[in-house]
């Protein structure tokens, strides 16, 4: 994601900064580039989080100096390379010395390898999933999309947790109850299109209380999820259609393409986090601006505080 923020997430940043209690302690994994460091510094200055920089201190200091950033006031923990930084950051969570993780200048799979370990990782009984939060002039409210970054081809059980995680994220930013559209290529349940069968099953799971906190409908084509005009033209009766807060996509390709199309063609700004682990994970792209990293920090902070209130 590369869009400029233009104040699109000011409301989210203000909400995170106003949360009661101590700020979120975030282990920033291998922040050896300017964007990772600036995102962490901006979030600290906004009162959203307290960064803990985990990585090779010499490289972090050199990157900060080159970018004209002052990181001398931040806690810095030595880890010689990126994989070691990921492992040490997970340890900080287990030690009670950090409340969340933030991806720096390393590949997602390298970071997630430590997080998903069955012994010593951050697994829960949920499936981990990524949630994009987008703000675009083309839609009248924030829009959440899942999963476009983590689960490649999720089965029905995984889609249940993808949907639940997205609902929880929406509730954490005061979208309550969120309207959830389970996307496919059609609004009809068609046995030859597996995603329509999954959508129908997810709706029934919501009816039975296996998915909680949101209003779920599907299958819905994209136009029916977000366009009241399309809904009226097709005469569809739905509590979600035309006004969705959350779009649940069939597979990672659809979610990734959809989010990036909104970014590059519709001027959207994006934040992104992973839920389903024992703590929120700020999962940004290496191409994200520092402003988008700040919004992702605010998103994670709101979710973390909401989760504390629920426990």
């Amino acid at each position: 994601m590369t869009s400029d923020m233009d104040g699109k997430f000011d409301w989210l940043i203000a909400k995170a900064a106003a949360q009661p209690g101590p700020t979120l302690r975030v282990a920033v994994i291998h922040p050896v580039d300017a964007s990772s460091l600036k995102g962490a510094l901006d979030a600290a200055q906004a009162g959203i989080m307290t960064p803990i920089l985990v990585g090779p201190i010499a490289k972090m200091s050199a990157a900060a100096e080159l970018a004209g950033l002052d990181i001398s006031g931040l806690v810095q923990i030595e880890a010689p390379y990126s994989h070691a930084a990921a492992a040490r950051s997970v340890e900080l969570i287990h030690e009670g010395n950090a409340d969340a993780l933030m991806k720096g200048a390393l590949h997602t799979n390298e970071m997630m390898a430590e997080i998903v370990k069955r012994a010593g990782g951050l697994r829960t009984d949920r499936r981990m999933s990524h949630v994009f939060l987008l703000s675009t002039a083309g839609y009248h409210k924030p829009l959440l999309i899942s999963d476009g970054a983590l689960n490649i081809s999720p089965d029905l059980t995984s889609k249940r947790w993808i949907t639940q995680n997205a609902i929880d994220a929406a509730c954490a930013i005061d979208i309550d109850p969120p309207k959830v559209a389970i996307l496919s290529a059609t609004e009809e349940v068609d046995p030859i299109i597996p995603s329509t069968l999954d959508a129908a099953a997810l709706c029934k799971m919501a009816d039975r209380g296996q998915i909680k906190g949101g209003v779920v409908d599907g299958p819905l084509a994209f136009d029916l999820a977000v366009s009241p005009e399309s809904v009226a033209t097709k005469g569809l009766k739905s509590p979600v259609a035309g006004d969705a807060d959350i779009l649940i996509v069939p597979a990672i390709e659809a979610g990734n393409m959809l989010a990036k199309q909104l970014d590059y063609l519709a001027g959207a700004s994006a934040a992104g986090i992973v839920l389903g682990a024992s703590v929120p994970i700020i999962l940004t792209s290496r191409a994200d601006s520092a402003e988008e990293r700040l919004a992702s920090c605010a998103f994670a902070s709101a979710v973390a505080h909401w989760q504390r209130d629920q426990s």
Side-chain angles (χ1 to χ4, degrees):
M1 299 293 163
T2 57
S3 302
D4 292 327
M5 292 290 290
D6 295 329
K8 293 174 182 175
F9 284 124
D10 284 352
W11 61 274
L12 179 60
I13 294 165
K15 174 180 174 59
Q19 295 286 358
T23 57
L24 203 66
R25 299 168 300 167
V26 179
V28 187
I29 306 170
H30 200 64
V32 295
D33 64 339
S35 292
S36 300
L37 292 169
K38 190 173 189 306
L41 280 169
D42 287 349
Q45 291 166 1
I48 292 172
M49 75 181 205
T50 301
I52 304 165
L53 308 182
V54 185
I57 291 176
K59 285 187 178 181
M60 294 189 297
S61 298
E65 183 177 358
L66 185 63
L69 302 174
D70 181 9
I71 62 172
S72 60
L74 303 182
V75 174
Q76 301 175 42
I77 296 177
E78 175 66 30
Y81 49 88
S82 55
H83 193 90
R88 184 70 187 100
S89 296
V90 169
E91 288 176 357
L92 290 174
I93 299 295
H94 286 295
E95 293 165 1
N97 293 319
D99 308 305
L101 300 179
M102 182 175 180
K103 177 175 173 276
L106 76 166
H107 291 288
T108 298
N109 58 356
E110 188 175 11
M111 179 185 73
M112 293 303 300
E114 291 298 322
I115 291 169
V116 302
K117 281 184 175 178
R118 294 194 177 277
L122 301 176
R123 286 175 176 264
T124 68
D125 59 351
R126 294 190 177 203
R127 179 80 174 187
M128 296 181 204
S129 60
H130 181 271
V131 181
F132 279 118
L133 173 62
L134 294 108
S135 178
T136 176
Y139 199 56
H140 62 285
K141 58 183 177 179
L143 189 63
L144 290 83
I145 298 175
S146 192
D147 183 338
L150 201 61
N151 290 281
I152 296 172
S153 184
D155 60 13
L156 181 59
T157 299
S158 296
K159 287 182 179 179
R160 173 207 175 186
W161 289 120
I162 288 169
T163 304
Q164 187 64 66
N165 289 339
I167 289 172
D168 290 352
C171 291
I173 56 173
D174 303 322
I175 304 172
D176 190 12
K179 298 176 182 178
V180 184
I182 313 297
L183 294 187
S184 186
T186 175
E187 73 277 14
E188 296 179 351
V189 178
D190 187 337
I192 67 172
I193 306 177
S195 61
T196 67
L197 301 178
D198 284 352
L202 289 167
C203 292
K204 185 52 65 177
M205 293 170 85
D207 289 344
R208 296 288 189 264
Q210 293 172 272
I211 300 171
K212 300 178 181 179
V215 181
V216 181
D217 195 19
L220 291 172
F222 178 76
D223 61 326
L224 288 172
V226 300
S227 170
E229 293 78 14
S230 291
V231 174
T233 298
K234 294 185 179 180
L236 182 67
K237 302 296 182 183
S238 165
V240 172
D243 193 40
D245 298 296
I246 299 171
L247 305 178
I248 301 298
V249 299
I252 195 171
E253 297 95 337
N256 195 275
M257 291 176 191
L258 176 56
K260 289 181 178 177
Q261 285 167 352
L262 291 174
D263 181 9
Y264 287 94
L265 298 181
S269 294
I273 62 173
V274 170
L275 292 90
S278 59
V279 298
I281 302 161
I282 303 163
L283 183 59
T284 53
S285 166
R286 285 168 291 168
D288 280 352
S289 67
E291 291 81 8
E292 287 177 312
R293 292 172 189 267
L294 175 59
S296 296
C297 293
F299 193 15
S301 177
V303 168
H305 283 88
W306 182 85
Q307 289 174 336
R308 288 174 184 169
D309 291 343
Q310 301 303 305
S311 60

